[in-house]
Coordinates of all heavy atoms in Angstrom, one line a residue:
A1 N -46.2 21.1 -29.2 CA -47.5 21.6 -29.6 C -47.9 20.9 -30.9 O -49.1 20.6 -31.1 CB -47.5 23.1 -29.8
K2 N -46.9 20.6 -31.8 CA -47.2 20.0 -33.1 C -47.8 18.6 -32.8 O -48.7 18.1 -33.5 CB -45.9 20.0 -33.9 CG -46.1 19.3 -35.2 CD -44.8 19.3 -36.0 CE -44.9 18.7 -37.3 NZ -43.7 18.7 -38.1
I3 N -47.2 17.9 -31.9 CA -47.6 16.5 -31.6 C -49.0 16.5 -31.0 O -49.8 15.7 -31.4 CB -46.6 15.8 -30.7 CG1 -45.3 15.6 -31.4 CG2 -47.1 14.5 -30.2 CD1 -44.1 15.1 -30.5
L4 N -49.3 17.4 -30.1 CA -50.6 17.5 -29.5 C -51.7 17.8 -30.6 O -52.8 17.3 -30.5 CB -50.7 18.5 -28.4 CG -49.9 18.1 -27.1 CD1 -50.0 19.2 -26.1 CD2 -50.5 16.8 -26.5
T5 N -51.4 18.7 -31.5 CA -52.3 19.0 -32.6 C -52.6 17.7 -33.4 O -53.7 17.4 -33.7 CB -51.7 20.1 -33.5 OG1 -51.4 21.2 -32.7 CG2 -52.7 20.5 -34.6
M6 N -51.5 17.0 -33.7 CA -51.7 15.7 -34.5 C -52.5 14.7 -33.7 O -53.4 14.1 -34.2 CB -50.3 15.1 -34.8 CG -50.4 13.8 -35.5 SD -48.8 13.0 -35.5 CE -48.5 12.6 -33.8
M7 N -52.3 14.6 -32.4 CA -53.0 13.6 -31.5 C -54.4 14.1 -31.3 O -55.2 13.2 -30.8 CB -52.3 13.5 -30.2 CG -51.1 12.6 -30.3 SD -50.3 12.4 -28.7 CE -51.6 11.6 -27.8
G8 N -54.8 15.3 -31.6 CA -56.2 15.7 -31.3 C -57.2 15.2 -32.3 O -58.4 15.3 -32.1
T9 N -56.7 14.5 -33.3 CA -57.7 13.8 -34.3 C -57.7 12.3 -34.0 O -56.7 11.8 -33.4 CB -57.2 14.0 -35.7 OG1 -55.9 13.4 -35.9 CG2 -57.1 15.5 -36.0
V10 N -58.8 11.7 -34.4 CA -58.9 10.2 -34.1 C -57.8 9.5 -34.9 O -57.1 8.6 -34.3 CB -60.3 9.7 -34.6 CG1 -60.4 8.2 -34.5 CG2 -61.4 10.4 -33.7
R11 N -57.5 9.9 -36.1 CA -56.5 9.2 -36.9 C -55.1 9.4 -36.3 O -54.3 8.5 -36.2 CB -56.5 9.7 -38.4 CG -55.5 9.1 -39.2 CD -55.6 9.6 -40.7 NE -54.6 9.0 -41.5 CZ -53.5 9.6 -41.9 NH1 -53.2 10.8 -41.5 NH2 -52.6 8.9 -42.7
G12 N -54.8 10.7 -35.9 CA -53.5 11.0 -35.3 C -53.3 10.2 -34.0 O -52.2 9.7 -33.7
F13 N -54.4 10.1 -33.2 CA -54.3 9.4 -31.9 C -54.1 7.9 -32.2 O -53.3 7.3 -31.5 CB -55.5 9.6 -31.0 CG -55.4 8.9 -29.8 CD1 -54.5 9.2 -28.8 CD2 -56.3 7.8 -29.5 CE1 -54.4 8.5 -27.6 CE2 -56.2 7.1 -28.3 CZ -55.3 7.4 -27.4
L14 N -54.8 7.4 -33.1 CA -54.6 5.9 -33.5 C -53.2 5.6 -33.9 O -52.5 4.7 -33.4 CB -55.6 5.5 -34.6 CG -55.4 4.1 -35.1 CD1 -55.7 3.1 -33.9 CD2 -56.4 3.8 -36.2
I15 N -52.6 6.5 -34.8 CA -51.3 6.3 -35.2 C -50.3 6.4 -34.1 O -49.4 5.6 -33.9 CB -50.9 7.2 -36.4 CG1 -51.8 6.8 -37.6 CG2 -49.5 7.2 -36.7 CD1 -51.7 7.8 -38.7
T16 N -50.5 7.5 -33.3 CA -49.6 7.7 -32.1 C -49.7 6.5 -31.2 O -48.6 6.0 -30.7 CB -49.9 9.0 -31.4 OG1 -49.9 10.0 -32.3 CG2 -49.0 9.2 -30.2
R17 N -50.8 6.0 -30.9 CA -51.0 4.9 -30.0 C -50.4 3.6 -30.5 O -49.8 2.9 -29.7 CB -52.5 4.7 -29.7 CG -52.9 3.7 -28.7 CD -52.4 4.2 -27.3 NE -52.7 3.2 -26.3 CZ -51.9 2.2 -26.0 NH1 -50.7 2.1 -26.5 NH2 -52.2 1.3 -25.1
L18 N -50.5 3.4 -31.8 CA -49.9 2.2 -32.4 C -48.3 2.3 -32.4 O -47.7 1.3 -32.1 CB -50.4 2.0 -33.8 CG -51.8 1.5 -34.0 CD1 -52.2 1.6 -35.4 CD2 -51.9 0.1 -33.4
L19 N -47.8 3.5 -32.7 CA -46.4 3.7 -32.7 C -45.7 3.7 -31.3 O -44.6 3.2 -31.2 CB -46.0 4.9 -33.5 CG -46.3 4.9 -35.0 CD1 -46.0 6.2 -35.7 CD2 -45.6 3.7 -35.7
L20 N -46.4 4.2 -30.4 CA -45.9 4.3 -29.0 C -46.6 3.3 -28.1 O -47.1 3.6 -27.0 CB -46.0 5.7 -28.4 CG -45.2 6.7 -29.1 CD1 -45.4 8.1 -28.5 CD2 -43.7 6.4 -29.0
V21 N -46.7 2.0 -28.6 CA -47.4 1.0 -27.9 C -46.9 0.7 -26.5 O -47.6 0.3 -25.6 CB -47.5 -0.3 -28.8 CG1 -46.1 -1.0 -28.8 CG2 -48.5 -1.2 -28.3
T22 N -45.6 1.0 -26.3 CA -45.0 0.7 -25.0 C -45.1 1.9 -24.0 O -44.8 1.8 -22.9 CB -43.5 0.4 -25.2 OG1 -42.8 1.5 -25.8 CG2 -43.3 -0.9 -26.0
A23 N -45.6 3.0 -24.5 CA -45.7 4.2 -23.6 C -47.2 4.6 -23.4 O -47.6 5.7 -23.7 CB -45.0 5.4 -24.3
Q24 N -48.0 3.7 -22.9 CA -49.4 3.9 -22.8 C -49.8 5.1 -21.9 O -50.7 5.9 -22.3 CB -50.1 2.6 -22.1 CG -49.9 1.4 -22.9 CD -50.5 0.2 -22.1 OE1 -51.7 0.3 -21.8 NE2 -49.7 -0.8 -21.9
D25 N -49.1 5.2 -20.8 CA -49.5 6.3 -19.9 C -49.2 7.7 -20.5 O -50.0 8.6 -20.3 CB -48.8 6.1 -18.6 CG -49.2 4.9 -17.8 OD1 -50.3 4.4 -18.1 OD2 -48.4 4.4 -17.0
I26 N -48.1 7.8 -21.1 CA -47.7 9.1 -21.7 C -48.7 9.5 -22.8 O -49.1 10.6 -22.9 CB -46.2 9.0 -22.3 CG1 -45.3 8.8 -21.1 CG2 -45.9 10.3 -23.1 CD1 -43.9 8.5 -21.5
V27 N -49.0 8.5 -23.7 CA -50.0 8.8 -24.8 C -51.3 9.2 -24.2 O -52.0 10.1 -24.7 CB -50.1 7.6 -25.7 CG1 -51.1 7.8 -26.8 CG2 -48.7 7.3 -26.4
A28 N -51.8 8.5 -23.2 CA -53.1 8.8 -22.6 C -53.1 10.2 -22.0 O -54.1 10.9 -22.1 CB -53.5 7.7 -21.5
Y29 N -52.0 10.5 -21.3 CA -51.9 11.8 -20.7 C -51.9 12.9 -21.8 O -52.6 13.9 -21.6 CB -50.6 12.0 -19.8 CG -50.5 13.3 -19.2 CD1 -51.2 13.7 -18.1 CD2 -49.6 14.2 -19.7 CE1 -51.1 14.9 -17.5 CE2 -49.5 15.5 -19.2 CZ -50.2 15.8 -18.1 OH -50.1 17.1 -17.5
A30 N -51.1 12.7 -22.8 CA -51.1 13.7 -23.9 C -52.4 13.8 -24.6 O -52.8 14.9 -24.9 CB -50.0 13.3 -24.9
A31 N -53.2 12.7 -24.7 CA -54.5 12.8 -25.3 C -55.5 13.6 -24.5 O -56.3 14.3 -25.0 CB -55.1 11.4 -25.6
G32 N -55.2 13.6 -23.2 CA -56.1 14.4 -22.3 C -55.9 15.9 -22.4 O -56.7 16.7 -22.0
L33 N -54.7 16.2 -23.0 CA -54.5 17.6 -23.3 C -55.0 18.1 -24.6 O -54.9 19.3 -24.9 CB -52.9 17.9 -23.3 CG -52.2 17.6 -21.9 CD1 -50.7 17.7 -22.1 CD2 -52.7 18.5 -20.8
T34 N -55.7 17.2 -25.3 CA -56.3 17.6 -26.6 C -57.8 17.6 -26.5 O -58.4 17.4 -25.4 CB -55.9 16.6 -27.7 OG1 -56.5 15.3 -27.4 CG2 -54.4 16.4 -27.8
K35 N -58.5 17.9 -27.6 CA -59.9 17.9 -27.6 C -60.5 16.6 -28.2 O -61.6 16.6 -28.7 CB -60.4 19.1 -28.4 CG -60.1 20.5 -27.8 CD -60.7 21.6 -28.5 CE -60.3 22.9 -27.9 NZ -61.0 23.3 -26.7
L36 N -59.7 15.6 -28.1 CA -60.2 14.3 -28.6 C -61.4 13.8 -27.8 O -61.3 13.7 -26.6 CB -59.0 13.3 -28.5 CG -59.3 11.9 -29.1 CD1 -59.4 11.9 -30.6 CD2 -58.1 11.0 -28.7
P37 N -62.5 13.4 -28.4 CA -63.6 12.9 -27.7 C -63.3 11.6 -26.9 O -62.4 10.8 -27.3 CB -64.7 12.6 -28.8 CG -64.2 13.4 -30.0 CD -62.7 13.5 -29.9
F38 N -64.0 11.4 -25.8 CA -63.7 10.3 -24.9 C -63.9 8.9 -25.6 O -63.1 8.0 -25.4 CB -64.5 10.4 -23.6 CG -64.2 9.3 -22.7 CD1 -63.0 9.2 -22.0 CD2 -65.1 8.3 -22.5 CE1 -62.7 8.2 -21.2 CE2 -64.8 7.2 -21.6 CZ -63.6 7.2 -21.0
L39 N -65.0 8.8 -26.3 CA -65.4 7.5 -26.8 C -64.3 7.0 -27.8 O -63.9 5.8 -27.7 CB -66.8 7.5 -27.5 CG -67.3 6.1 -27.9 CD1 -67.4 5.2 -26.8 CD2 -68.7 6.3 -28.6
P40 N -63.9 7.8 -28.8 CA -62.8 7.2 -29.7 C -61.5 7.0 -28.9 O -60.8 6.0 -29.2 CB -62.6 8.4 -30.7 CG -63.8 9.2 -30.7 CD -64.4 9.0 -29.3
F41 N -61.3 7.8 -27.9 CA -60.1 7.6 -27.1 C -60.1 6.3 -26.4 O -59.1 5.5 -26.5 CB -59.9 8.8 -26.1 CG -59.0 8.4 -24.9 CD1 -57.6 8.4 -25.1 CD2 -59.4 7.9 -23.7 CE1 -56.7 8.1 -24.1 CE2 -58.6 7.6 -22.7 CZ -57.2 7.6 -22.9
I42 N -61.1 6.0 -25.7 CA -61.2 4.8 -24.9 C -61.2 3.5 -25.8 O -60.6 2.5 -25.5 CB -62.3 4.8 -23.9 CG1 -62.1 3.7 -22.8 CG2 -63.7 4.5 -24.5 CD1 -61.0 4.0 -21.9
L43 N -61.9 3.6 -26.9 CA -62.0 2.4 -27.9 C -60.6 2.2 -28.4 O -60.2 1.0 -28.5 CB -63.0 2.7 -29.0 CG -64.4 2.7 -28.6 CD1 -65.3 3.1 -29.7 CD2 -64.8 1.3 -28.0
I44 N -59.9 3.2 -28.9 CA -58.6 3.0 -29.4 C -57.6 2.6 -28.4 O -56.8 1.6 -28.5 CB -58.1 4.3 -30.1 CG1 -58.9 4.6 -31.4 CG2 -56.6 4.2 -30.5 CD1 -58.7 6.0 -32.0
H45 N -57.6 3.2 -27.2 CA -56.7 2.9 -26.2 C -56.8 1.5 -25.7 O -55.8 0.8 -25.5 CB -56.9 3.9 -25.0 CG -55.8 3.9 -24.0 ND1 -54.6 4.3 -24.2 CD2 -55.8 3.5 -22.7 CE1 -53.8 4.2 -23.1 NE2 -54.6 3.7 -22.2
V46 N -58.0 1.0 -25.5 CA -58.2 -0.4 -25.0 C -57.9 -1.4 -26.1 O -57.2 -2.4 -25.8 CB -59.6 -0.5 -24.4 CG1 -59.9 -2.0 -24.2 CG2 -59.8 0.3 -23.2
S47 N -58.3 -1.1 -27.3 CA -58.0 -2.0 -28.4 C -56.6 -2.3 -28.6 O -56.1 -3.4 -28.8 CB -58.7 -1.5 -29.7 OG -60.1 -1.5 -29.5
V48 N -55.8 -1.2 -28.6 CA -54.4 -1.3 -28.9 C -53.6 -1.9 -27.7 O -52.7 -2.6 -27.9 CB -53.8 0.1 -29.3 CG1 -52.3 0.1 -29.4 CG2 -54.4 0.6 -30.6
S49 N -54.1 -1.7 -26.5 CA -53.4 -2.2 -25.4 C -53.6 -3.7 -25.1 O -53.0 -4.3 -24.3 CB -53.8 -1.4 -24.1 OG -55.1 -1.6 -23.8
L50 N -54.5 -4.3 -25.9 CA -54.7 -5.8 -25.7 C -53.5 -6.6 -26.1 O -53.2 -7.5 -25.4 CB -55.9 -6.2 -26.6 CG -57.3 -5.8 -26.1 CD1 -58.4 -6.2 -27.0 CD2 -57.6 -6.4 -24.7
V51 N -52.9 -6.2 -27.2 CA -51.7 -7.0 -27.6 C -50.6 -6.9 -26.6 O -50.0 -8.0 -26.2 CB -51.3 -6.5 -29.1 CG1 -50.0 -7.2 -29.5 CG2 -52.3 -6.9 -30.1
P52 N -50.1 -5.7 -26.2 CA -49.1 -5.7 -25.2 C -49.4 -6.4 -23.9 O -48.6 -7.0 -23.3 CB -48.8 -4.2 -25.0 CG -49.5 -3.5 -26.1 CD -50.5 -4.4 -26.6
T53 N -50.7 -6.3 -23.5 CA -51.1 -7.0 -22.3 C -50.9 -8.5 -22.4 O -50.4 -9.1 -21.4 CB -52.6 -6.6 -22.0 OG1 -52.7 -5.2 -21.8 CG2 -53.0 -7.3 -20.7
V54 N -51.3 -9.0 -23.5 CA -51.1 -10.5 -23.7 C -49.6 -10.8 -23.7 O -49.2 -11.8 -23.1 CB -51.8 -10.9 -25.0 CG1 -51.4 -12.3 -25.4 CG2 -53.3 -10.8 -24.9
L55 N -48.8 -10.0 -24.4 CA -47.4 -10.3 -24.5 C -46.7 -10.2 -23.2 O -45.9 -11.0 -22.8 CB -46.7 -9.4 -25.5 CG -47.1 -9.6 -27.0 CD1 -46.5 -8.6 -27.9 CD2 -46.7 -11.0 -27.4
L56 N -47.1 -9.1 -22.4 CA -46.5 -9.0 -21.1 C -46.9 -10.1 -20.1 O -46.1 -10.5 -19.3 CB -46.9 -7.6 -20.5 CG -46.1 -6.4 -21.2 CD1 -46.7 -5.1 -20.7 CD2 -44.7 -6.5 -21.0
T57 N -48.2 -10.5 -20.3 CA -48.6 -11.7 -19.4 C -47.8 -12.9 -19.8 O -47.4 -13.7 -18.9 CB -50.1 -11.9 -19.6 OG1 -50.8 -10.7 -19.3 CG2 -50.6 -13.0 -18.7
A58 N -47.6 -13.2 -21.0 CA -46.8 -14.3 -21.5 C -45.4 -14.2 -21.0 O -44.7 -15.1 -20.5 CB -46.8 -14.5 -23.0
S59 N -44.8 -12.9 -21.0 CA -43.5 -12.7 -20.5 C -43.4 -13.0 -19.0 O -42.4 -13.6 -18.5 CB -43.0 -11.2 -20.7 OG -43.0 -10.9 -22.1
G60 N -44.4 -12.6 -18.3 CA -44.4 -12.9 -16.8 C -44.4 -14.4 -16.6 O -43.8 -14.9 -15.6
S61 N -45.2 -15.1 -17.4 CA -45.2 -16.5 -17.2 C -43.8 -17.1 -17.5 O -43.4 -18.1 -16.8 CB -46.2 -17.1 -18.2 OG -46.2 -18.5 -18.2
L62 N -43.1 -16.6 -18.5 CA -41.8 -17.1 -18.8 C -40.8 -16.8 -17.6 O -39.9 -17.6 -17.3 CB -41.3 -16.6 -20.1 CG -41.9 -17.1 -21.4 CD1 -41.4 -16.3 -22.6 CD2 -41.6 -18.6 -21.5
L63 N -41.0 -15.6 -17.0 CA -40.1 -15.2 -15.9 C -40.3 -16.2 -14.7 O -39.4 -16.5 -14.0 CB -40.4 -13.8 -15.5 CG -39.9 -12.7 -16.4 CD1 -40.3 -11.3 -15.9 CD2 -38.4 -12.7 -16.4
L64 N -41.5 -16.6 -14.5 CA -41.8 -17.5 -13.4 C -41.1 -18.9 -13.6 O -40.9 -19.6 -12.6 CB -43.3 -17.7 -13.2 CG -44.0 -16.5 -12.6 CD1 -45.5 -16.7 -12.5 CD2 -43.4 -16.1 -11.2
E65 N -40.8 -19.2 -14.8 CA -40.1 -20.5 -15.1 C -38.7 -20.4 -14.6 O -38.0 -21.4 -14.4 CB -40.2 -20.8 -16.5 CG -41.6 -21.2 -17.0 CD -41.7 -21.5 -18.5 OE1 -40.6 -21.5 -19.1 OE2 -42.8 -21.7 -19.0
G66 N -38.2 -19.2 -14.5 CA -36.9 -19.0 -13.9 C -35.6 -19.1 -14.8 O -34.5 -19.1 -14.3
S67 N -35.8 -19.3 -16.0 CA -34.6 -19.4 -16.9 C -34.0 -18.1 -17.2 O -34.6 -17.1 -17.6 CB -35.0 -20.1 -18.2 OG -34.0 -20.1 -19.2
I68 N -32.6 -18.0 -17.1 CA -31.9 -16.8 -17.4 C -32.0 -16.5 -18.9 O -32.1 -15.3 -19.2 CB -30.4 -17.0 -17.0 CG1 -30.2 -16.7 -15.5 CG2 -29.5 -16.1 -17.8 CD1 -30.5 -15.3 -15.1
L69 N -32.1 -17.5 -19.7 CA -32.2 -17.2 -21.2 C -33.6 -16.5 -21.4 O -33.6 -15.6 -22.2 CB -32.2 -18.5 -21.9 CG -32.3 -18.4 -23.5 CD1 -31.3 -17.6 -24.1 CD2 -32.3 -19.8 -24.1
N70 N -34.6 -17.0 -20.8 CA -35.9 -16.3 -21.0 C -35.9 -14.9 -20.5 O -36.4 -14.0 -21.2 CB -37.0 -17.1 -20.2 CG -37.4 -18.4 -20.7 OD1 -37.1 -18.7 -21.9 ND2 -38.0 -19.2 -19.9
L71 N -35.3 -14.6 -19.4 CA -35.1 -13.2 -18.9 C -34.4 -12.3 -19.9 O -34.9 -11.2 -20.2 CB -34.4 -13.3 -17.6 CG -34.3 -11.9 -16.8 CD1 -35.7 -11.4 -16.5 CD2 -33.5 -12.1 -15.6
G72 N -33.3 -12.8 -20.4 CA -32.5 -12.1 -21.4 C -33.3 -11.8 -22.7 O -33.3 -10.7 -23.2
L73 N -34.0 -12.8 -23.2 CA -34.8 -12.6 -24.4 C -36.0 -11.6 -24.2 O -36.3 -10.8 -25.0 CB -35.4 -14.0 -24.8 CG -34.4 -15.0 -25.4 CD1 -35.0 -16.3 -25.7 CD2 -33.8 -14.4 -26.7
I74 N -36.6 -11.7 -23.0 CA -37.7 -10.8 -22.7 C -37.2 -9.3 -22.7 O -37.8 -8.4 -23.3 CB -38.4 -11.1 -21.4 CG1 -39.1 -12.4 -21.5 CG2 -39.3 -10.0 -20.9 CD1 -39.6 -13.1 -20.2
F75 N -36.1 -9.1 -22.0 CA -35.6 -7.7 -21.9 C -35.1 -7.2 -23.3 O -35.3 -6.1 -23.6 CB -34.5 -7.6 -20.9 CG -35.0 -7.6 -19.5 CD1 -34.4 -8.5 -18.5 CD2 -36.0 -6.7 -19.1 CE1 -34.9 -8.5 -17.2 CE2 -36.5 -6.7 -17.8 CZ -35.9 -7.6 -16.8
F76 N -34.5 -8.1 -24.0 CA -34.0 -7.7 -25.4 C -35.2 -7.4 -26.3 O -35.2 -6.3 -26.9 CB -33.2 -8.9 -26.0 CG -32.8 -8.6 -27.4 CD1 -31.8 -7.7 -27.7 CD2 -33.5 -9.2 -28.5 CE1 -31.5 -7.4 -29.0 CE2 -33.1 -9.0 -29.8 CZ -32.1 -8.1 -30.1
A77 N -36.2 -8.2 -26.3 CA -37.4 -7.9 -27.1 C -38.1 -6.6 -26.7 O -38.5 -5.9 -27.5 CB -38.4 -9.1 -27.0
M78 N -38.2 -6.4 -25.4 CA -38.9 -5.2 -24.9 C -38.1 -3.9 -25.3 O -38.7 -2.9 -25.7 CB -39.1 -5.2 -23.4 CG -40.2 -6.3 -23.0 SD -40.3 -6.5 -21.3 CE -41.6 -5.4 -20.9
S79 N -36.8 -4.0 -25.3 CA -35.9 -2.9 -25.7 C -36.0 -2.6 -27.1 O -36.1 -1.5 -27.6 CB -34.5 -3.2 -25.3 OG -34.3 -3.4 -23.9
V80 N -36.0 -3.7 -27.9 CA -36.1 -3.5 -29.4 C -37.5 -2.9 -29.8 O -37.6 -1.9 -30.5 CB -35.9 -4.8 -30.1 CG1 -36.3 -4.7 -31.6 CG2 -34.5 -5.3 -30.0
V81 N -38.6 -3.4 -29.2 CA -39.9 -2.9 -29.5 C -40.0 -1.4 -29.1 O -40.5 -0.6 -29.8 CB -41.0 -3.7 -28.8 CG1 -42.4 -3.0 -28.8 CG2 -41.1 -5.1 -29.4
G82 N -39.5 -1.1 -27.9 CA -39.5 0.3 -27.5 C -38.7 1.3 -28.4 O -39.2 2.3 -28.7
A83 N -37.5 0.9 -28.7 CA -36.7 1.7 -29.6 C -37.3 1.9 -31.0 O -37.3 3.0 -31.5 CB -35.3 1.1 -29.7
V84 N -37.8 0.8 -31.6 CA -38.4 0.9 -32.9 C -39.6 1.7 -32.9 O -39.9 2.6 -33.8 CB -38.7 -0.6 -33.5 CG1 -39.5 -0.5 -34.7 CG2 -37.4 -1.3 -33.7
S85 N -40.5 1.6 -31.9 CA -41.7 2.4 -31.8 C -41.4 3.8 -31.7 O -42.0 4.7 -32.3 CB -42.7 1.8 -30.7 OG -42.1 2.1 -29.5
M86 N -40.4 4.2 -30.9 CA -40.0 5.6 -30.7 C -39.5 6.2 -32.0 O -39.8 7.3 -32.3 CB -39.0 5.7 -29.5 CG -38.7 7.2 -29.2 SD -40.1 8.2 -28.8 CE -40.4 7.6 -27.1
F87 N -38.6 5.4 -32.7 CA -38.1 5.8 -33.9 C -39.2 6.2 -34.9 O -39.2 7.3 -35.5 CB -37.2 4.8 -34.5 CG -36.7 5.1 -35.9 CD1 -35.6 6.0 -36.1 CD2 -37.3 4.5 -37.0 CE1 -35.2 6.3 -37.4 CE2 -36.8 4.8 -38.3 CZ -35.8 5.7 -38.5
F88 N -40.1 5.3 -35.1 CA -41.2 5.5 -36.1 C -42.1 6.7 -35.7 O -42.6 7.4 -36.5 CB -42.0 4.3 -36.4 CG -41.3 3.3 -37.3 CD1 -40.8 2.1 -36.9 CD2 -41.0 3.7 -38.6 CE1 -40.1 1.3 -37.7 CE2 -40.4 2.8 -39.5 CZ -39.9 1.6 -39.0
F89 N -42.4 6.8 -34.4 CA -43.2 7.9 -33.9 C -42.5 9.2 -34.2 O -43.1 10.2 -34.7 CB -43.4 7.8 -32.4 CG -44.1 9.0 -31.8 CD1 -45.4 9.3 -32.1 CD2 -43.4 9.9 -31.0 CE1 -46.0 10.4 -31.6 CE2 -44.0 11.0 -30.5 CZ -45.3 11.3 -30.8
L90 N -41.2 9.3 -33.9 CA -40.5 10.6 -34.1 C -40.5 10.9 -35.6 O -40.6 12.1 -36.0 CB -39.1 10.5 -33.5 CG -39.1 10.5 -32.0 CD1 -37.6 10.3 -31.5 CD2 -39.6 11.8 -31.4
R91 N -40.3 9.9 -36.5 CA -40.3 10.1 -37.9 C -41.7 10.6 -38.4 O -41.8 11.5 -39.2 CB -39.9 8.9 -38.7 CG -38.5 8.4 -38.5 CD -37.5 9.3 -39.2 NE -37.7 9.1 -40.6 CZ -37.1 9.7 -41.5 NH1 -36.2 10.6 -41.2 NH2 -37.3 9.5 -42.8
Y92 N -42.7 10.0 -37.8 CA -44.1 10.3 -38.2 C -44.4 11.8 -37.7 O -45.1 12.5 -38.4 CB -45.1 9.3 -37.6 CG -46.5 9.7 -37.8 CD1 -47.1 9.5 -39.1 CD2 -47.3 10.3 -36.8 CE1 -48.4 9.9 -39.3 CE2 -48.6 10.7 -37.1 CZ -49.2 10.5 -38.3 OH -50.4 10.8 -38.5
A93 N -43.9 12.1 -36.5 CA -44.2 13.4 -36.0 C -43.4 14.6 -36.7 O -43.7 15.7 -36.4 CB -43.9 13.4 -34.5
G94 N -42.5 14.2 -37.6 CA -41.9 15.2 -38.3 C -40.5 15.5 -37.9 O -39.8 16.4 -38.4
F95 N -40.0 14.8 -36.9 CA -38.6 15.0 -36.4 C -37.7 14.3 -37.3 O -37.8 13.1 -37.5 CB -38.4 14.6 -35.0 CG -39.2 15.4 -34.0 CD1 -40.4 14.9 -33.5 CD2 -38.7 16.6 -33.5 CE1 -41.2 15.7 -32.6 CE2 -39.4 17.4 -32.7 CZ -40.7 16.9 -32.2
D96 N -36.7 15.0 -37.9 CA -35.8 14.3 -38.8 C -34.6 13.9 -38.0 O -33.6 14.6 -37.9 CB -35.4 15.2 -40.0 CG -35.0 14.5 -41.2 OD1 -35.0 13.2 -41.2 OD2 -34.7 15.1 -42.2
I97 N -34.6 12.7 -37.4 CA -33.6 12.3 -36.5 C -32.4 11.7 -37.2 O -31.4 11.5 -36.5 CB -34.2 11.3 -35.5 CG1 -34.8 10.1 -36.2 CG2 -35.2 11.9 -34.6 CD1 -35.3 9.0 -35.3
L98 N -32.4 11.5 -38.4 CA -31.3 10.9 -39.1 C -30.4 11.9 -39.8 O -29.3 11.6 -40.2 CB -31.7 9.8 -40.1 CG -32.5 8.6 -39.6 CD1 -32.9 7.7 -40.7 CD2 -31.6 7.9 -38.6
E99 N -30.9 13.1 -39.9 CA -30.1 14.2 -40.5 C -29.3 15.0 -39.5 O -29.7 15.1 -38.4 CB -31.0 15.1 -41.3 CG -31.7 14.4 -42.4 CD -31.8 15.3 -43.7 OE1 -31.4 16.4 -43.6 OE2 -32.4 14.8 -44.6
E100 N -28.2 15.5 -39.9 CA -27.3 16.3 -39.0 C -27.7 17.7 -39.0 O -28.2 18.3 -39.9 CB -25.9 16.1 -39.4 CG -25.4 14.7 -39.3 CD -24.0 14.5 -39.8 OE1 -23.3 15.5 -40.0 OE2 -23.6 13.3 -40.0

């Protein structure tokens, strides 16, 4: 509920969308559960998704070249981006994940 309240504002949705850049569908679904107006939602959602779309398209191009090194680098980079974005999102949302 705390995260949905935060995402209900334009600023909160923008920050969430930037931090969870790899989880587009989850963020869009969660935004649908808030009272965020459609116009700011669609502008932010499309603008932020341009960068991952370009990167994923480039990754697909590298995969077609067939090099095992390219494949390993792509999976490694995607894993790092996903883990880092989730870490910063959880810290921003108020979850203290580093404390016992």
Side-chain angles (χ1 to χ4, degrees):
K2 180 180 179 181
I3 293 174
L4 288 178
T5 304
M6 176 192 66
M7 284 183 59
T9 64
V10 173
R11 180 177 181 259
F13 178 69
L14 176 63
I15 291 169
T16 303
R17 186 66 181 89
L18 287 170
L19 292 178
L20 292 178
V21 71
T22 58
Q24 299 178 55
D25 296 337
I26 295 169
V27 174
Y29 179 77
L33 299 174
T34 68
K35 294 186 184 278
L36 182 69
F38 180 72
L39 187 60
F41 162 77
I42 198 69
L43 290 175
I44 291 169
H45 192 68
V46 169
S47 298
V48 172
S49 66
L50 287 176
V51 172
T53 300
V54 169
L55 292 176
L56 288 172
T57 303
S59 299
S61 175
L62 289 173
L63 284 174
L64 288 176
E65 291 177 7
S67 170
I68 278 294
L69 178 62
N70 288 343
L71 184 63
L73 288 174
I74 290 167
F75 285 129
F76 175 74
M78 293 172 96
S79 300
V80 168
V81 168
V84 169
S85 67
M86 184 58 75
F87 173 79
F88 282 111
F89 171 72
L90 290 174
R91 294 286 293 175
Y92 176 76
F95 293 98
D96 208 357
I97 56 178
L98 297 178
E99 295 217 2
E100 297 175 12

